[in-house]
Amino acid sequence: MAAGYAELLRTRHAARLLVGTLIGRLPNGTAPIAIVLFTRAEGGSYSLAGALAAAYGVANAVGQPLLGRAVDLYGQPRVQLPAALVSALGMVWLAVAGTGSAVAAYAAVVVAGLFTPPLEGGLRALWPSVLGGKEERVHAAYAMDAVAQEVMFTVGPLLVTLFVALWSPAGALLALNAIGVLGALSVVVSEPSRRWRSEPREAHWLGALRSRGLLALLGAFFFVGTALGSITVAGVAYADDHGNQAVYGWLMAALGLGALIGGVAYGARRWTGAAERRLRVLVALLAVCYLPLMLTPGPVAMAGLTALAGVFLAPAIACAFIVVDRHAPAGTVTEAFSWLVTFFGVGAAIGTAAAGPAVELGGTAAGFGVAGAAGAAALLVLTVTQRVLATPGRSRAVAGSAEGASGGASEGSSGVGSEVPSAG
């Protein structure tokens, strides 16, 4: 498993792009906790802290597909780096001005969220060209990408607490965003990023959303996000029930560990058959593994169940990347990946909001029940729309022969577009 990922990372530009993207996304991955800690240090209430974090999340959800479309139209360097700088300036504004003026604080986090660069979608658009368009290598890179996300979301909060301890909450905001700009800079000055161009696109105001297959996938992953968001709240309630907040940390670590194990195992194998059918199986397993969480056994057993609930998350996300690439209309690949990020994030926010009342009305088990219901809803969406998903919007080389034999794809363009010399 590790050898396969090591071989990918030895490919020219691959390690730099992956690491640069992860570093560039640190401000986004750490923003909620950093905003909450900063607001509390400034004397703001928990309500204000939560509202500011939510405002950042909503602005981010709006900005990602819009900036993704701009990347498809104008290239990565012209959009990613300016967006990273503006987003960082928004956080600088918050750190310097504080939360004394609620209007200014909201404006700062909205600017930071709205202009968060779509580095995640940009990286997935680059993989086929970096890896020579080879089906099995691109699919393995998608899995490696999903695993790296889990690492970032595990390490990110630890970095926030470290920077707060070393400096202050304001210092943490400034440092994380400065690091993020450097990560984005590392990506956009690379040769693959400078040379990448999207395919010619049909002018349409819906952009990537005119694909029925993509809409079906986005609907399913809205509910996957809902499940994940609800687990974070239900986990807090479980820790309260057991009188030990450290239990929450163990549950979240177990969830991340399960996702890491699943992602590594998924990427180690070359899969055959239609990615859409495989995704239904993975989401079904994901939904089934959410149900035992409602048993709420003792902490050790609960940590095991939480790890099991995470095992199929990274594989499902990695498989979804393949489906996105197969269904995104020509010239919209970055936008399409950005929509996946948006729907997943909005679903997580809804899950967080829904789990709170569920816990209050029915206890901790009901909070985890939201995850089970959301997992079932995701599977239902994929099942009802399986005919739509069975026909990719267009052929792609990335889908490869194995996918094409059963899923309808044939040799064609990869969704990466052509590489042409950069104007710069």
Side-chain angles (χ1 to χ4, degrees):
M1 296 178 185
Y5 288 145
E7 189 271 332
L8 285 177
L9 292 174
R10 283 195 294 270
T11 303
R12 188 184 179 201
H13 302 299
R16 173 181 177 173
L17 290 172
L18 179 64
V19 173
T21 297
L22 291 176
I23 293 175
R25 291 178 57 213
L26 266 179
N28 184 30
T30 59
I33 186 172
I35 290 171
V36 169
L37 291 176
F38 175 78
T39 304
R40 291 296 295 153
E42 289 285 300
S45 66
Y46 281 110
S47 296
L48 177 61
L52 288 174
Y56 174 91
V58 171
N60 181 257
V62 171
Q64 285 295 292
L66 295 177
L67 290 171
R69 182 177 295 193
V71 167
D72 287 327
L73 290 171
Y74 305 112
Q76 294 197 2
R78 292 182 180 181
V79 177
Q80 303 275 38
L81 186 57
L85 289 169
V86 174
S87 178
L89 287 175
M91 283 303 193
V92 170
W93 180 9
L94 178 66
V96 173
T99 59
S101 168
V103 173
Y106 278 112
V109 297
V110 166
V111 168
L114 190 63
F115 287 93
T116 298
L119 293 168
E120 190 174 349
L123 175 63
R124 288 160 202 158
L126 291 175
W127 279 133
S129 62
V130 171
L131 300 175
K134 295 182 179 178
E135 162 207 359
E136 67 277 6
R137 301 188 78 206
V138 173
H139 292 182
Y142 285 158
M144 181 175 66
D145 190 352
V147 169
Q149 283 189 73
E150 298 302 325
V151 173
M152 187 195 72
F153 283 109
T154 300
V155 173
L158 297 177
L159 284 178
V160 175
T161 55
L162 175 62
F163 289 167
V164 168
L166 290 176
W167 302 306
S168 65
L173 278 176
L174 296 173
L176 287 166
N177 281 272
I179 292 172
V181 170
L182 292 177
L185 178 64
S186 174
V187 171
V188 301
V189 299
S190 68
E191 182 182 352
S193 181
R194 288 185 291 108
R195 292 174 62 88
W196 181 86
R197 295 294 183 273
S198 178
E199 296 173 285
R201 60 186 284 151
E202 175 190 348
H204 197 290
W205 69 275
L206 278 175
L209 294 184
R210 68 182 183 272
S211 166
R212 295 172 63 203
L214 180 62
L215 288 174
L217 178 70
L218 296 178
F221 269 77
F222 168 85
F223 288 111
V224 174
T226 301
L228 199 61
S230 66
I231 288 175
T232 61
V233 174
V236 172
Y238 179 87
D240 288 340
D241 291 343
H242 289 78
N244 185 356
Q245 285 300 315
V247 171
Y248 176 74
W250 284 108
L251 294 184
M252 294 303 101
L255 187 69
L257 177 62
L260 283 172
I261 292 172
V264 170
Y266 177 84
R269 174 178 171 178
R270 180 177 178 180
W271 298 89
T272 59
E276 293 82 0
R277 185 168 60 247
R278 184 163 68 251
L279 181 62
R280 282 199 305 277
V281 173
L282 290 170
V283 171
L285 292 170
L286 190 64
V288 168
C289 289
Y290 285 148
L291 296 177
L293 296 174
M294 297 177 64
L295 299 174
T296 61
V300 174
M302 191 64 179
L305 291 178
T306 308
L308 181 63
V311 166
F312 296 101
L313 178 61
I317 292 173
C319 191
F321 296 160
I322 300 171
V323 177
V324 168
D325 186 72
R326 284 161 60 87
H327 288 271
T332 68
V333 63
T334 309
E335 179 190 344
F337 279 122
S338 298
W339 274 118
L340 183 65
V341 174
T342 289
F343 270 70
F344 190 89
V346 171
I350 297 297
T352 300
V359 168
E360 292 178 358
L361 293 173
T364 301
F368 286 114
V370 175
L379 177 60
L380 179 62
V381 171
L382 291 177
T383 302
V384 169
T385 61
Q386 58 183 302
R387 287 191 177 182
V388 173
L389 285 165
T391 306
R394 63 197 189 86
S395 59
R396 295 175 183 275
V398 174
S401 57
E403 299 289 348
S406 55
S410 60
E411 291 295 325
S413 76
S414 68
V416 173
S418 58
E419 286 192 350
V420 298
S422 170

